[in-house]
Amino acid sequence: MEKLSVRLPDGSEMEHDRGTTVEEVAYDIGSRLGKDAVAGKVDGREVDLNYELEEDSDLEIITIDSEEGLDIYRHTASHIMAHAVKRIYDDVKLAIGPTIEEGFYYDLDLQESISEDELEKIEKEMEKINSEDLPIKRKELPRKEALKLMDEKNETYKIELIEELEDENISLYQQGDFIDLCQGPHLPSTGRLEAFKLLSVAGAYWRGDENNKMLQRIYGTAFPDQKQLEEYLKQRKEAQKRDHNKLGRKMDLFMTDQEVGAGLPLLTPKGAKVVQILQRFVEDEEEKRGYERTMTPLMARRDLYETSGHWEHYKDDMFVIGDEEKGEEVLALRPMTCPFQFKIYNSKIHSYRDLPVRFAETSTLFRNEASGEMHGLIRVRQFTISEGHLIVTPEQLEDEFRGVLKLINYMMETLGIKKDIWYRFSRWNPDKKEKYIDAPAAWRDSQEKMKNILDRLDLDYTVADGEAAFYGPKLDIQFKNVHGKEDTIITVQMDFALPERFDMTYVDEDNTEKRPYVIHRTSVGCYERTLAMLIEKYAGAFPTWLAPRQVMVIPISEAQYDYARKTAGILKSEGIRVDIDDSDEKLGYKIRQAQIEQIPYMLIVGDNEVQAETVSVRDRRDGDIGEMPLEDFKSMIKEEIDKKVSEIN
RNA sequence: GCUGACGUAGCUCAAUUGGCAGAGCAGCUGACUUGUAAUCAGCAGGCUACCGGUUCGAGUCCGGUCGUCAGCUCCA
């Protein structure tokens, strides 16, 4: 038998017979590795475990505990799911079935609509396919034959996909009578899947385009073993308990009302308090950093939006008032603050010495979101944002951009969310002409400028094409809600277009008029969304400085009411948000109420405390932390509030 | 806007094939005066989201509207 040499990632070399499979090599290295192997990488190319080595090569074994390995494993799960659906329903056409961060999905086109109750049935069929342990085989067919095969199977979506591939040979994977277009690699047989679960069904447009047919998407996940799957499901359930949309209502932070309308949350006193604290903090901080405050109208004539380009690129998202056909004046509620602050800038002639001009406004905006898009406090039709615009000379652009980022980072650190966010560089999509101002050269130039700044800042960021504002590229700060859905919380935008449209100028040293740059930015983004994020981050247990109620004084009986009032009065005079629970209940009950409300501190006062002029302090997390003089408690909580301590103990 | 699920007391949820709308918590009243996560008793609470239809009879079946949830599209 002819031999060949296999070089492993650690540099060592092994000798094997020609035709040895990747899996055999893995077992030869170690039985544990053989068991954990899901695929291999031969000379950097991913291959199946049953791939036969034909020549000397570099080999890496991909194991289930790597991200790559889990991905391959889940991809096989998605094939098994599609196979099961094909067995159960008639006329199923396959679209795409990729893996995602926490599992996989498959988009399918079928007449019948699959309801969530039917997932169990599909799971059962998957189990059957699993126990049949069908071998999964890779096949390569010439384009023509692959197209012919898919045509015979009436897989119109696959045909579309193959037609876009440039490869001579098309790779397919087959298990039993199920065959799918796929790059692979895959597990060697359907029996290798250990633990999986289908999670939900939803509609999804073919190729993500709303003009295309809506397909049925089934979401599922798979894990190397049952224990890990159960752990994941448990975590998922736990995370959903933090859902701001449930918790925020339960904790009486906000409400909605059918008669008021969708996407129009009402902040109740406690929620409004948190937002007020945030706003004051942001406004004070902006002032310290050289921002000037404006207050501008919530609506304007159509003409203003025609100048800004909103009328052309953003009209569908605006609330327009007044019917032109009836000869009425046409106004629109503002979706952004920029045009208004630009008007203020333009009301004067500016010297280069005036720049940078930094305008800030706690600004309420209106956007006519489509009906299915509203979500709790995260996606609403009216929101208030820590808006700001910096008008700068080209030379100042980078420094000011850095200054904005510094402010933003300070905000995120203070809110304790620095570790929960990531940066996204959002660029335009040249193909979507209607979405963006048509100025390709300016787009490329400003994106280049932004990229250079980001790279010089050594910022770790992802890139998203088609996520820019209509007037310029953005640096978005993203977070994930409890459902794993990504949203923008803060944004910094570079604008080359609106200074032009508004003919904004400054007079430079050489006495010529020049065009400034504009940076649009938010400090914490919109307060509603920020509140939602904080609810989920802290599971309702806000840091003391943000807590709508910071202290609850709990007298044990009526005998201590006077002392309780005195205690509360002293704290209140220090600006601490304190209440007394003088309900006719037992101590345990009152503590429970305060615990549920996540009030940071409970001060229990009985006869002992009255005698000693002390309070017994109960921390919402650590429980009873002992008796202390009121003065001591006062300075302790004041320090915590002043330092805006946000860490979870 | 699209796909699917859903809407019963303030909240969480029951109500058999269409046959008298019910419980716990919260609320109110009273008793209890309490030492670190739920004291007991009584009372009250409803045009079953809204509008229309089928039926002797609709919370339940059908149609529409509004709203909610998950996803898609869109987005701060």
Side-chain angles (χ1 to χ4, degrees):
Chain A
M1 185 69 83
E2 244 184 290
K3 298 281 183 188
L4 52 77
S5 152
V6 175
R7 190 178 18 216
L8 302 172
D10 65 0
S12 63
E13 294 201 19
M14 301 173 86
E15 212 164 65
H16 280 279
D17 293 337
R18 185 174 300 272
T20 302
T21 66
V22 171
E23 185 164 34
E24 283 162 352
V25 177
Y27 268 108
D28 198 43
I29 298 169
S31 63
R32 175 70 197 272
L33 184 68
K35 240 181 90 195
D36 288 348
V38 292
K41 225 184 233 179
V42 172
D43 298 327
R45 191 167 54 91
E46 287 187 347
V47 298
D48 298 313
L49 282 181
N50 53 24
Y51 178 87
E52 293 175 1
L53 296 163
E54 291 299 340
E55 54 195 50
D56 293 353
S57 37
D58 290 340
L59 175 68
E60 188 188 329
I61 304 295
I62 301 173
T63 57
I64 185 84
D65 47 22
S66 70
E67 210 173 294
E68 254 174 318
L70 189 58
D71 221 51
I72 290 162
Y73 183 82
R74 285 172 170 169
H75 198 178
T76 297
S78 95
H79 275 214
I80 293 173
M81 177 174 80
H83 192 175
V85 173
K86 279 213 151 200
R87 279 188 180 180
I88 297 170
Y89 302 90
D90 296 327
D91 298 324
V92 179
K93 286 188 198 175
L94 305 172
I96 52 162
T99 57
I100 48 177
E101 205 170 320
E102 294 185 348
F104 61 87
Y105 66 79
Y106 215 115
D107 284 350
L108 306 149
D109 186 3
L110 66 158
Q111 203 60 41
E112 274 168 275
S113 66
I114 299 171
S115 75
E116 223 142 296
D117 303 336
E118 286 163 84
L119 292 182
E120 220 171 299
K121 202 162 75 187
I122 300 168
E123 274 174 3
K124 282 233 169 70
E125 195 60 41
M126 286 173 75
E127 267 156 35
K128 219 172 126 198
I129 296 167
N130 184 229
S131 62
E132 286 165 18
D133 196 19
L134 305 168
I136 302 175
K137 287 190 202 124
R138 182 191 176 90
K139 259 193 190 176
E140 286 202 13
L141 291 180
R143 280 181 81 83
K144 263 195 177 157
E145 279 182 47
L147 283 169
K148 196 171 149 241
L149 177 74
M150 287 305 169
D151 190 49
E152 277 162 18
K153 290 187 163 281
N154 198 25
E155 293 287 2
T156 51
Y157 300 98
K158 296 294 177 190
I159 292 171
E160 213 180 306
L161 293 171
I162 293 172
E163 275 166 353
E164 274 167 31
L165 291 174
E166 282 167 12
D167 315 10
E168 268 308 297
N169 288 312
I170 304 299
S171 87
L172 301 152
Y173 275 82
Q174 179 159 21
Q175 59 201 42
D177 59 352
F178 177 86
I179 188 156
D180 195 359
L181 169 71
C182 190
Q183 234 349 286
H186 275 282
L187 303 179
S189 77
T190 61
R192 301 273 181 126
L193 204 58
E194 294 293 330
F196 59 87
K197 172 121 187 102
L198 301 186
L199 300 171
S200 58
V201 280
Y205 300 107
W206 167 236
R207 316 209 123 181
D209 186 336
E210 59 183 329
N211 299 311
N212 288 341
K213 184 168 183 187
M214 181 159 267
L215 310 170
Q216 297 190 58
R217 175 174 296 179
I218 304 177
Y219 284 95
T221 193
F223 283 89
D225 58 58
Q226 204 62 34
K227 211 178 129 198
Q228 285 181 57
L229 173 65
E230 270 156 30
E231 183 60 27
Y232 166 77
L233 293 173
K234 205 177 115 196
Q235 266 176 27
R236 200 172 125 101
K237 226 172 143 186
E238 280 304 307
Q240 285 173 9
K241 282 190 192 156
R242 294 168 167 246
D243 186 344
H244 85 277
N245 206 10
K246 290 210 177 78
L247 197 54
R249 291 170 202 270
K250 196 171 144 205
M251 298 191 72
D252 202 8
L253 296 163
F254 78 101
M255 56 171 275
T256 49
D257 182 277
Q258 278 204 29
E259 212 172 358
V260 174
L264 297 168
L266 292 84
L267 295 194
T268 45
K270 278 186 212 150
K273 190 73 208 174
V274 179
V275 167
Q276 183 194 35
I277 296 159
L278 279 171
Q279 281 179 354
R280 286 177 174 170
F281 165 57
V282 168
E283 288 175 359
D284 289 348
E285 197 54 41
E286 284 171 342
E287 185 159 1
K288 281 184 207 161
R289 293 175 192 239
Y291 286 82
E292 298 173 284
R293 201 140 290 277
T294 63
M295 285 178 78
T296 58
L298 299 184
M299 68 182 93
R301 294 174 54 208
R302 165 185 176 157
D303 306 56
L304 181 71
Y305 303 111
E306 281 176 347
T307 301
S308 67
H310 283 87
W311 201 259
E312 189 186 344
H313 297 283
Y314 211 80
K315 185 164 175 266
D316 289 347
D317 292 294
M318 294 200 289
F319 289 101
V320 177
I321 306 165
D323 189 342
E324 199 183 4
E325 288 183 6
K326 286 186 193 153
E328 290 168 358
E329 184 178 23
V330 177
L331 296 156
L333 297 179
R334 66 178 184 194
M336 297 180 195
T337 323
C338 26
F340 300 88
Q341 292 193 328
F342 296 165
K343 282 289 179 188
I344 292 177
Y345 178 84
N346 275 355
S347 67
K348 279 193 259 185
I349 290 175
H350 290 272
S351 154
Y352 69 97
R353 296 174 207 268
D354 301 334
L355 270 47
V357 168
R358 305 186 189 96
F359 286 143
E361 178 161 341
T362 300
S363 178
T364 298
L365 304 178
F366 307 84
R367 296 187 186 173
N368 194 2
E369 301 293 345
S371 61
E373 279 156 14
M374 267 86 73
H375 171 62
L377 292 174
I378 286 181
R379 199 71 188 278
V380 294
R381 280 183 165 152
Q382 179 191 313
F383 55 93
T384 299
I385 183 174
S386 51
E387 182 84 281
H389 295 89
L390 292 84
I391 297 115
V392 306
T393 68
E395 297 75 40
Q396 291 166 338
L397 182 65
E398 181 154 351
D399 272 352
E400 287 302 310
F401 197 96
R402 282 170 181 268
V404 167
L405 263 178
K406 245 177 130 173
L407 167 61
I408 288 169
N409 280 319
Y410 173 68
M411 290 289 162
M412 291 189 297
E413 268 159 28
T414 308
L415 295 178
I417 56 167
K418 192 74 198 289
K419 291 194 184 104
D420 304 291
I421 60 92
W422 71 98
Y423 300 94
R424 184 181 79 181
F425 179 23
S426 300
R427 306 189 301 196
W428 69 313
N429 178 348
D431 300 331
K432 292 204 168 169
K433 295 252 182 285
E434 72 293 344
K435 242 183 104 175
Y436 301 106
I437 281 178
D438 185 24
W443 273 106
R444 277 191 286 272
D445 178 61
S446 59
Q447 288 187 173
E448 186 62 27
K449 280 199 173 70
M450 192 146 168
K451 184 183 185 300
N452 289 337
I453 294 173
L454 298 181
D455 289 345
R456 277 197 288 272
L457 279 164
D458 213 16
L459 219 59
D460 215 7
Y461 58 85
T462 62
V463 173
D465 287 325
E467 297 287 347
F470 75 78
Y471 45 74
K474 307 193 284 178
L475 177 70
D476 291 321
I477 295 180
Q478 303 295 106
F479 80 102
K480 257 190 202 156
N481 73 10
V482 291
H483 296 106
K485 196 178 158 122
E486 175 180 344
D487 274 297
T488 301
I489 188 80
I490 299 173
T491 183
V492 191
Q493 309 170 353
M494 245 173 66
D495 182 0
F496 59 85
L498 297 187
E500 192 80 37
R501 283 178 162 265
F502 279 90
D503 194 21
M504 296 162 77
T505 59
Y506 65 95
V507 180
D508 208 353
E509 293 176 84
D510 60 3
N511 200 29
T512 60
E513 283 198 345
K514 295 214 173 128
R515 191 72 76 205
Y517 278 95
V518 166
I519 300 170
H520 306 235
R521 41 105 280 166
T522 63
S523 293
V524 294
C526 99
Y527 289 100
E528 290 81 354
R529 188 175 279 188
T530 301
L531 176 60
M533 179 186 59
L534 292 172
I535 293 168
E536 297 191 353
K537 159 82 185 174
Y538 292 107
F542 293 109
T544 304
W545 71 280
L546 278 172
R549 219 191 297 206
Q550 297 167 316
V551 177
M552 180 62 85
V553 180
I554 304 180
I556 287 172
S557 74
E558 256 175 74
Q560 300 91 28
Y561 278 12
D562 281 344
Y563 183 72
R565 275 191 283 269
K566 197 180 115 199
T567 302
I570 290 167
L571 295 174
K572 200 166 248 170
S573 68
E574 298 286 342
I576 293 161
R577 296 183 288 278
V578 54
D579 278 293
I580 302 166
D581 187 346
D582 55 3
S583 64
D584 208 8
E585 293 289 351
K586 289 178 76 169
L587 176 62
Y589 185 88
K590 296 184 191 181
I591 286 172
R592 185 180 154 79
Q593 293 308 311
Q595 282 288 156
I596 289 170
E597 204 187 313
Q598 299 284 12
I599 298 170
Y601 295 103
M602 287 153 256
L603 301 183
I604 287 113
V605 292
D607 284 339
N608 299 343
E609 287 77 9
V610 176
Q611 289 292 312
E613 302 227 326
T614 56
V615 290
S616 278
V617 182
R618 184 186 164 94
D619 181 293
R620 64 184 158 183
R621 292 194 182 89
D622 301 337
D624 189 352
I625 56 174
E627 193 176 333
M628 62 179 81
L630 180 61
E631 278 304 309
D632 290 4
F633 172 74
K634 197 176 85 183
S635 46
M636 183 183 93
I637 189 171
K638 276 193 75 173
E639 190 185 336
E640 190 183 341
I641 293 166
D642 289 346
K643 286 189 174 164
K644 298 190 171 57
V645 176
S646 283
E647 296 96 71
I648 295 171
N649 306 325

